[in-house]
Amino acid sequence: MIAETQGIHIRHRGHEPQIHPTAYVAPTATLVGDVRVGPRARVMYGAVLDAEGSRIEVGEAAVICENAVLRGSAVAGDQPVLVGDHVFVGPHATLLGCEVGRCVYVATTATVLQCARLEAGSVEATPAVWTL
């Protein structure tokens, strides 16, 4: 069996996902509402991109890894998720209503909350736990 689907697309509030022809969206990824996936971007298995009345933009050659969650919001003003070009979002990471600049690395299980802005070239790693 060969699956050639581009994930699960759900129309929401009059918007449906738009995927560039050179992008890859895994069959089990879910895209809801005003979601735009740029050229050569990759949205991997189990990822959820839910615009929730706002929008989500994934830039060129960005990688959204397995089970990552990107969620825009319009509850407290417009809070889109804007992911720049050449960004890596690790497995199980969560991005909520934030902006991620170009060439940013967001580590596995990291969480970026509403209105946060990660500058170009920055690294968002999970907090370390130090013990004696």
Side-chain angles (χ1 to χ4, degrees):
M1 180 172 128
I2 298 174
E4 293 191 24
T5 63
Q6 286 281 315
I8 300 163
H9 299 186
I10 299 173
R11 185 177 179 82
H12 181 66
R13 296 186 181 185
H15 296 280
E16 58 188 76
Q18 299 173 19
I19 302 168
H20 191 276
T22 61
Y24 172 76
V25 177
T28 59
T30 303
L31 285 64
V32 181
D34 191 2
V35 176
R36 302 171 205 159
V37 179
R40 298 181 302 127
R42 297 178 61 82
V43 180
M44 301 310 291
Y45 298 89
V48 175
L49 284 66
D50 188 350
E52 283 282 333
S54 184
R55 73 187 191 284
I56 295 174
E57 297 177 9
V58 176
E60 181 176 356
V63 177
I64 311 299
C65 283
E66 292 79 6
N67 301 307
V69 175
L70 283 64
R71 179 160 293 148
S73 178
V75 174
D78 190 28
Q79 296 175 343
V81 175
L82 306 175
V83 176
D85 298 339
H86 307 284
V87 168
F88 180 87
V89 177
H92 300 280
T94 303
L95 306 179
L96 303 173
C98 60
E99 185 174 345
V100 179
R102 186 180 199 293
C103 299
V104 169
Y105 173 81
V106 179
T108 300
T109 71
T111 299
V112 182
L113 297 175
Q114 291 89 346
C115 300
R117 186 175 181 179
L118 301 179
E119 297 295 328
S122 63
V123 173
E124 174 66 30
T126 55
V129 177
W130 295 89
T131 59
L132 296 175

